[in-house]
Amino acid sequence: MTAQEVVKFAQDNGALMVDFKFMDFVGIWQHFTVPISEFDEDVFEEGLGFDGSSIRGWQPIHASDMIILPDPATAKMDPFTAIPTLSLIANIFDPITKEAYTRDPRNIAKKAEAYLKASGIGDTAFFGPEAEFFIFDDVRYDSSSNQSFYIVDSSEGAWNTGREEFPNLGYKPRHKEGYFPVSPTDSLNDLRNEMVMEMQKVGIRVECQHHEVATGGQAEIDMRFDSLVAMADKLQWFKYIIKNVAVRNGKTVTFMPKPLYGDNGSGMHTHVSIWKDGTNLFAGDGYGGLSKTALYFIGGIIKHARALSGFCNPTTNSYKRLVPGFEAPVNMAYSSRNRSAALRIPMFSTNPKSKRVEYRTPDPSCNGYLAFAAILMAGIDGIENKIDPGQPLDKDIYGLTPEELANIPSAPGSLDEALKALADDHDFLLKGDVFTPDVIEKWIEYKTEAEVNPIRMRPVPLEFALYFDI
């Protein structure tokens, strides 16, 4: 839509308020709202000011003024507000230079798309993330100088088979058996369907929904692939809708990668392909039906995988999922069909249009704009430098000997390791000023000071069980 069309769209839908949404540096949607009387076409040219110093990882207080500039193509009616509200996603600009703000994740994603076109390799990168999540009935947590705890609960949790429920009717999926029995064992089908219906209202095409492997409400809803920025926008709507549908039904959702011990964590397997002039450049006559371009793309991902984890697995909790020796995509190998490889070539169809690479290491705690941009830049580096991905691995990685595993690169074991890898290997991200040095430096600084160090300094309950009587 054009600016003029957005104004008419708001009028036609009876909008009384206008909500401006934007992504903070860390990965949480922020917003503010104005009455429709304060909204006209000029907003799309002049923008609106706000305090950038109050957003994590952004401006210092002595240079805090920033401008949001809404993107008219993102106009939708918000399905959750009591008052009819037009919703717009905005980009962030510096009010002095009038330039796109370097630390705005959406601007970074837009620059990644522009760099792909400028490289001559292709004109569109398609992304299809599978963001898993947990639906809980209750969550409680606290941490202070002398105590720390968390408790999550689900009516279908395997741990509740003995709970007094007046009556307890059973049908609770056992650990690692949630994929995917029918109701009544799957107690959340209607809720997931409601989520799907709300997604369709805002233009998200959904391919399927189902219970996931873990007990206690793990779920997956798969969206149809889209171009990089559009898909990152949809991922934010996806999280927004899922959380709000859950809350209005008296439940809560988390995209934490590992909220439960002893069961599967939540990943975000990400399907990627590059196209040019309507042709899928990843289709070919090589291994798994891939082209040389696709294999070089895989080579770039493998080469930069440890650095990519700094954006694709950006929380300390991410590495509770990425533990070697378990069913986690920590080994940087590629294979067709083999789901134990970090990079998989799906073989559901022989249609060249469906040929893609599935990167299985990312998780849904990531900032989609940054993660997708980083994945694309790593893949482009592989294509430009013809990086050989090595031989495919078509046997079960979890059955390999230590000697065989020693030759396969692996994901970092902690966020600290991932950030150090990013500090050592980020030149590929700086091409075309897609990521700028201040973005890399601030990301590492923020993550270290706000997340790595606080976790590092705190005892956890299990340590008392292990060490209190020493």
Side-chain angles (χ1 to χ4, degrees):
M1 281 190 272
T2 65
Q4 185 178 19
E5 288 170 338
V6 171
V7 171
K8 186 176 187 303
F9 175 79
Q11 293 170 345
D12 291 346
N13 285 275
L16 299 177
M17 306 295 289
V18 182
D19 195 58
F20 300 99
K21 295 178 173 70
F22 61 93
M23 189 69 139
D24 74 4
F25 195 47
V26 182
I28 302 295
W29 239 4
Q30 309 292 327
H31 80 123
F32 64 86
T33 310
V34 303
I36 195 70
S37 59
E38 301 298 310
F39 177 72
D40 57 30
E41 293 178 39
D42 291 343
V43 170
F44 295 95
E45 292 292 331
E46 300 173 5
L48 294 168
F50 73 101
D51 176 9
S53 68
S54 296
I55 306 299
R56 297 176 297 175
W58 277 7
Q59 292 294 90
I61 197 166
H62 63 272
S64 61
D65 290 348
M66 302 294 291
I67 290 176
I68 66 161
L69 204 64
D71 182 344
T74 65
K76 304 179 189 300
M77 293 300 293
D78 192 309
F80 296 103
T81 53
I83 302 298
T85 301
L86 174 71
S87 178
L88 289 158
I89 298 176
N91 295 309
I92 311 302
F93 285 78
D94 186 292
I96 306 300
T97 65
K98 305 298 183 184
E99 294 180 349
Y101 185 44
T102 58
R103 296 182 199 169
D104 173 13
R106 194 169 191 266
N107 280 330
I108 291 170
K110 290 175 68 177
K111 287 189 290 183
E113 286 191 321
Y115 182 76
L116 172 64
K117 293 178 182 178
S119 72
I121 293 170
D123 51 44
T124 308
F126 285 116
F127 283 77
E130 301 174 7
E132 298 167 340
F133 54 97
F134 278 86
I135 303 168
F136 291 131
D137 294 300
D138 187 53
V139 55
R140 288 175 285 144
Y141 53 89
D142 197 10
S143 180
S144 63
S145 62
N146 71 317
Q147 60 92 36
S148 178
F149 78 93
Y150 73 88
I151 297 174
V152 294
D153 203 6
S154 165
S155 61
E156 67 165 44
W159 55 86
N160 280 325
T161 55
R163 184 172 68 176
E164 287 280 2
E165 294 182 350
F166 310 104
N168 187 327
L169 299 177
Y171 295 111
K172 303 181 190 302
R174 289 175 285 269
H175 287 287
K176 298 184 181 295
E177 293 187 22
Y179 190 89
F180 29 45
V182 299
S183 60
T185 303
D186 177 3
S187 66
L188 299 166
N189 188 60
D190 287 341
L191 184 63
R192 295 193 307 270
N193 281 340
E194 186 178 336
M195 293 169 177
V196 170
M197 299 307 290
E198 294 295 350
M199 289 179 193
Q200 292 176 331
K201 288 180 184 177
V202 299
I204 295 175
R205 182 175 172 183
V206 176
E207 294 185 328
C208 73
Q209 62 85 359
H210 58 83
H211 203 290
E212 255 300 338
V213 174
T215 188
Q218 193 182 33
E220 181 177 314
I221 299 175
D222 293 333
M223 297 178 283
R224 180 77 169 180
F225 65 86
D226 207 336
S227 56
L228 192 159
V229 173
M231 193 72 248
D233 287 345
K234 287 179 179 178
L235 182 59
Q236 287 312 113
W237 273 108
F238 176 88
K239 290 184 175 183
Y240 179 73
I241 289 169
I242 285 171
K243 290 176 182 178
N244 278 282
V245 169
V247 166
R248 79 182 180 194
N249 283 275
K251 295 183 182 290
T252 189
V253 159
T254 182
F255 288 91
M256 281 178 65
K258 191 70 173 178
L260 296 182
Y261 168 70
D263 214 330
N264 283 41
S266 292
M268 191 179 76
H269 304 157
T270 301
H271 298 253
V272 190
S273 61
I274 295 177
W275 292 56
K276 187 174 185 178
D277 298 328
T279 299
N280 184 1
L281 302 182
F282 277 16
D285 57 5
Y287 175 82
L290 293 182
S291 64
K292 280 284 189 182
T293 298
L295 290 170
Y296 291 145
F297 185 94
I298 291 172
I301 298 295
I302 291 174
K303 178 180 178 180
H304 300 297
R306 292 179 67 81
L308 283 179
S309 294
F311 288 116
C312 295
N313 308 95
T315 68
T316 58
N317 187 254
S318 298
Y319 300 89
K320 302 295 193 295
R321 167 181 171 257
L322 295 178
V323 178
F326 295 87
E327 294 181 15
V330 299
N331 299 296
M332 296 303 144
Y334 71 101
S335 175
S336 64
R337 304 184 69 179
N338 184 354
R339 292 172 186 266
S340 66
L343 291 137
R344 190 175 77 94
I345 299 95
M347 302 298 289
F348 298 119
S349 171
T350 58
N351 188 331
K353 291 183 177 181
S354 69
K355 196 54 60 179
R356 60 198 187 273
V357 172
E358 179 189 1
Y359 187 29
R360 297 172 65 83
T361 303
D363 68 58
S365 70
C366 73
N367 180 328
Y369 297 102
L370 298 182
F372 298 162
I375 291 169
L376 178 60
M377 295 303 290
I380 289 175
D381 187 63
I383 295 168
E384 290 179 332
N385 292 290
K386 294 182 169 55
I387 298 174
D388 186 350
Q391 293 300 307
L393 193 63
D394 287 330
K395 52 186 176 180
D396 184 3
I397 292 175
Y398 306 115
L400 297 181
T401 65
E403 291 75 21
E404 290 174 308
L405 279 173
N407 297 317
I408 301 175
S410 64
S414 68
L415 180 57
D416 192 30
E417 282 185 36
L419 295 175
K420 287 176 181 175
L422 180 60
D424 293 337
D425 176 25
H426 60 259
D427 286 350
F428 70 99
L429 297 171
L430 303 181
K431 294 178 181 177
D433 287 328
V434 174
F435 289 77
T436 52
D438 76 293
V439 169
I440 304 296
E441 291 165 10
K442 190 63 181 180
W443 183 262
I444 294 171
E445 175 192 305
Y446 176 85
K447 286 286 176 178
T448 301
E449 293 181 359
E451 300 177 27
V452 172
N453 287 342
I455 291 289
R456 181 185 285 149
M457 293 187 294
R458 282 167 168 78
V460 298
L462 184 60
E463 289 177 311
F464 283 81
L466 293 171
Y467 309 127
F468 187 78
D469 59 350
I470 286 177

